Amino acid sequence: MMAAGGAVPLLAANAFDAPAQNGATLAQAAAHNGRVYGAAVRIRRIDAEQDYRQAVVQECALLVPEYEMNWNEIEPAYGQLSFDRIDALVDFATDQGKKLRGHVLFWHLGVPEWASAMLRERRDWGLVNHYVGFVMTRYRDLVHQWTVVNEAIDPGQRSDGLRNSIYLEAFGPGYIHRAFTLARGLAPNGLLLLSDYGLEYDNAEQRARRYYFLKLIERLKGAGTPLDCIGLQGHLDLRLGQVSAPAIAAFLRELNDMNLPVMVTELDVKESQYVASAQERDRMVADETRRYLDAVLSHGRCLGVTTWGLSDRHSWIIEITPQDYARFPGAWKNGESPGINRGLPLSWEMKPKPMYFALRDALWRIRLRR
Ligand code: 9MR
């Protein structure tokens, strides 16, 4: 727990384990409790940046292609499949003895434009089957888990809370069950995940997201959908205040009752105070990480954590919004620090930041629920 003033007694909560944790990597800290730690990676950067490559090899036991397995990457034009980049990533992971999450099979933002147009016109499951079939058959022996359906809910669009995606438009709400059935057939031993975001904060929008997500999961379980695990993306956002431990606990109880484990799949922290000192910013990011992981790891059966990137150098949050610019004029002068978001475990220079230690401490300290 946090001490007064927000200072973090890193090892006090688990003094007994402290000596063993010292020097552990994130992967080792996770494995200590039977979990896995990993990160989304970009193969072009791994090839180009030796220090990043080293950090990935050292800290991660599981790798997730940040974008290389998306349909629009693999089949940018109809019938033209290109596996070079994802092959390179899978080869790297395999050579280094890392596990892999296949990401992402059904995601509205991963559909190439040509396919959206064709799906809208023909409603032809064969198109989907083609891409998913190719990818899963090619990698099923090397990939341990799959994000099968991603971001299926978006409350406000329909009475069932589902996102009105191209999949829903073409195949109706039954597409989710169909997607999992297809995936199970192609990867009988893979851990199949349904993932979503916006499930951490106690505000009206996220309350609705939790509600509709649970309703969807209940329906899928009722229909016998082969769903193994729920992915909690965990894109934390300091602009929204602090994560709500009670809301997360209540949500996870429902999943426990349905006998579903979870994975934190895309952990990172969006900042709100870019002009504070780097030290203060890092403390806020670490505190939010700790609050979140304390809630998820203690209340859910959490099989592992993957951060969405490993170092601030490669965060997808690197592009600061126009609103951020407006709120903090001058903060990005000349592109110098504090211009970048500091929401991942390692700094731009690949040095561990307080978030790293918060993550490692939680992974080490909190036992996996059985
Ligand atoms: O971080 C990813 C970024 O590099 C890609 O350009 C983008 C499109 O493929 O996807 C980003 O990752 C998203 C993930 O696949 C699903 N959840 C939200 C992530 C951030 O947008």
Side-chain angles (χ1 to χ4, degrees):
M1 286 289 104
M2 259 187 305
V8 181
L10 224 195
L11 302 172
N14 59 330
F16 181 71
D17 280 340
Q21 184 203 357
N22 267 339
T25 65
L26 294 176
Q28 287 165 346
H32 175 67
N33 281 308
R35 297 194 185 91
V36 66
Y37 169 77
V41 296
R42 303 176 186 172
I43 191 63
R44 276 194 296 195
R45 299 302 189 100
I46 286 178
D47 287 343
E49 299 164 31
Q50 195 53 33
D51 56 347
Y52 169 51
R53 180 193 177 94
Q54 250 167 23
V56 168
V57 170
Q58 178 173 310
E59 299 296 338
C60 299
L62 180 141
L63 305 183
V64 188
E66 189 172 332
Y67 62 88
E68 293 89 337
M69 201 182 264
N70 288 356
W71 191 359
N72 51 10
E73 286 293 319
I74 287 189
E75 198 175 5
Y78 179 46
Q80 286 179 25
L81 294 154
S82 84
F83 290 100
D84 292 355
R85 204 167 285 160
I86 183 65
D87 274 355
L89 199 159
V90 170
D91 285 351
F92 170 75
T94 311
D95 288 350
Q96 297 291 338
K98 310 298 183 192
K99 294 187 171 180
L100 280 159
R101 178 184 312 135
H103 178 90
V104 44
L105 300 175
F106 289 77
W107 182 40
H108 62 292
L109 295 178
V111 183
E113 272 175 33
W114 64 263
S116 288
M118 258 191 215
L119 286 171
R120 195 162 286 130
E121 199 185 302
R122 295 197 212 152
R123 298 167 193 269
D124 177 6
W125 185 258
L127 272 181
V128 176
N129 209 8
H130 184 72
Y131 153 71
V132 173
F134 255 103
V135 170
M136 292 192 87
T137 311
R138 193 175 179 93
Y139 302 116
R140 69 178 149 209
D141 296 333
L142 305 169
V143 166
H144 303 78
Q145 48 177 261
W146 299 87
T147 314
V148 179
V149 176
N150 200 27
E151 304 177 4
I153 55 159
D154 196 15
Q157 299 188 8
R158 298 163 40 96
S159 62
D160 58 8
L162 290 184
R163 179 186 299 279
N164 212 352
S165 69
I166 182 62
Y167 296 113
L168 190 122
E169 221 183 288
F171 308 114
Y175 85 88
I176 302 173
H177 176 81
R178 245 174 132 176
F180 277 93
T181 308
L182 174 65
R184 172 58 83 233
L186 290 162
N189 302 318
L191 186 84
L192 305 183
L193 285 97
L194 171 72
S195 298
D196 226 305
Y197 65 88
L199 305 164
E200 302 84 16
Y201 293 86
D202 191 13
N203 59 39
E205 191 186 328
Q206 299 214 354
R207 276 195 291 275
R209 295 188 62 82
R210 285 189 292 273
Y211 174 82
Y212 286 108
F213 197 34
L214 284 172
K215 287 282 161 209
L216 168 63
I217 296 165
E218 261 170 37
R219 288 197 299 279
L220 294 172
K221 287 295 272 184
T225 306
L227 166 64
D228 300 322
C229 183
I230 299 302
L232 313 172
Q233 289 190 3
H235 289 295
L236 308 184
D237 190 340
L238 289 168
R239 297 170 305 178
L240 302 178
Q242 296 186 358
V243 293
S244 165
I248 293 169
F251 175 75
L252 290 171
R253 267 196 299 276
E254 303 274 342
L255 296 180
N256 292 340
D257 288 349
M258 287 189 270
N259 209 12
L260 275 167
V262 298
M263 284 270 313
V264 175
T265 51
E266 301 189 12
L267 181 64
D268 58 11
V269 185
K270 172 89 167 80
E271 292 185 78
S272 66
Q273 294 295 331
Y274 290 99
V275 285
S277 69
Q279 198 185 13
E280 175 68 2
R281 289 169 58 192
D282 287 351
R283 186 187 63 74
M284 289 190 271
V285 165
D287 285 351
E288 186 70 341
T289 302
R290 181 175 307 97
R291 281 187 287 268
Y292 180 61
L293 291 179
D294 273 357
V296 175
L297 270 49
S298 4
H299 295 286
R301 179 164 152 64
C302 181
L303 306 179
V305 175
T306 51
T307 46
W308 207 242
L310 183 59
S311 116
D312 295 333
R313 196 193 291 167
H314 304 122
S315 173
W316 72 289
I317 317 180
I318 211 150
E319 284 158 38
I320 308 298
T321 65
Q323 287 85 347
D324 294 329
Y325 278 102
R327 280 195 311 141
F328 302 111
W332 283 270
K333 211 158 73 186
N334 308 327
E336 286 167 7
S337 181
I340 57 158
N341 195 73
R342 301 178 65 94
L344 284 168
L346 302 183
S347 68
W348 182 286
E349 297 80 18
M350 302 294 151
K351 297 279 182 292
K353 294 182 307 167
M355 179 183 177
Y356 176 99
F357 297 107
L359 181 53
R360 189 175 75 170
D361 172 59
L363 289 168
W364 187 276
R365 176 169 41 90
I366 308 173
R367 304 236 180 281
L368 175 58
R369 285 173 69 109
R370 293 288 159 192

